Amino acid sequence: MDIARPCWPALVVASALTLVCAVTAGVAAGAAGTELTRGPNTAELRAAVKRETAERWRVWPAGRVFPARLAYSAEQGGIEQASRIGISPRTGCAGAVDPAADAALRRAGCRAVLRATYIDALRGVLVTVGVAAFPDERAAARATAAFPQAGEPVPGLRPLAFRGTVADRFTPSVRQAGSVRQGGPYVVLTTAGQADGRPARTAGEQRPAVFSYGSELAAHVLHSLTTPSLPDCAAPEWRC
């Protein structure tokens, strides 16, 4: 009876291939394990910070975006506190600004416009602060160009009135000053007028300093929205 001899070269090749596959699988498994257990790198943390900042308008409580009190420099010197009268429940971009600027917001990809109205410590001047959120910094910069840079209120943010409050008569005709600031994916706008409801055309001599505190309120709101936070990858608002 003939006994078949083993083909040693074939066995050696097969064994070598098995070993190579095993090593490759081990390396791949080790790399996958390392990838799953390592912490985020610098680029990933930077991207996480950018994403978290861009979502603050949506995930932060309204009272965090618009605090009940905001400090400003009084015209006569010293520091005063502006008081929040109310926050709009509406966040749509349409109708939050004048028609002449509305198209620019749409073209830039406006995601939302949040608004709140404040009054100064002397209870004489109202300011509506608006936060317009965009997909990124470049889009926000494009939208900023649609608004006056020298303090004119039109075209600009539409004032936010609250029935039964001191801001009841804060209509578009009352506006006497405005401001625009941009940082990151946000544009913060303000519009200001007198609390007695007098139209701007009947206000007599303009006193820009009376309304300038609106720009300070905008600076506070923008600073809060754009100041980077230390990443917390375990928190639901972070994606690291």
Side-chain angles (χ1 to χ4, degrees), residues 21-172:
C21 290
V23 171
T24 302
V27 171
T34 302
E35 181 67 21
L36 290 173
T37 57
R38 72 168 176 81
N41 60 36
T42 301
E44 290 167 340
L45 288 175
R46 189 179 296 117
V49 168
K50 184 176 291 188
R51 282 193 298 268
E52 188 272 338
T53 300
E55 289 297 315
R56 287 176 180 177
W57 69 269
R58 186 177 61 83
V59 301
W60 277 12
R64 186 174 179 182
V65 178
F66 299 118
R69 301 282 186 275
L70 284 173
Y72 68 93
S73 302
E75 186 182 7
Q76 63 274 21
I79 301 297
E80 299 283 5
Q81 296 283 327
S83 302
R84 190 188 67 214
I85 294 173
I87 301 173
S88 174
R90 299 180 179 180
T91 62
C93 300
V97 299
D98 292 316
D102 187 68
L105 262 62
R106 290 199 308 272
R107 287 194 300 270
C110 179
R111 303 171 69 187
V113 177
L114 317 180
R115 289 186 298 166
T117 294
Y118 288 82
I119 191 166
D120 67 328
L122 297 178
R123 313 288 290 181
V125 176
L126 296 166
V127 171
T128 293
V129 181
V131 174
F134 295 89
D136 52 42
E137 184 172 358
R138 182 176 298 180
R142 286 200 305 269
T144 301
F147 300 96
Q149 306 297 310
E152 295 90 349
V154 180
L157 184 70
R158 294 180 67 81
L160 178 63
F162 289 93
R163 184 170 297 178
T165 72
V166 69
D168 185 69
R169 293 176 288 180
F170 196 20
T171 62

Side-chain angles (χ1 to χ4, degrees), residues 178-192:
S179 71
V180 56
R181 290 174 177 264
Q182 183 261 324
Y186 299 105
V187 175
V188 178
L189 305 159
T190 68
T191 189

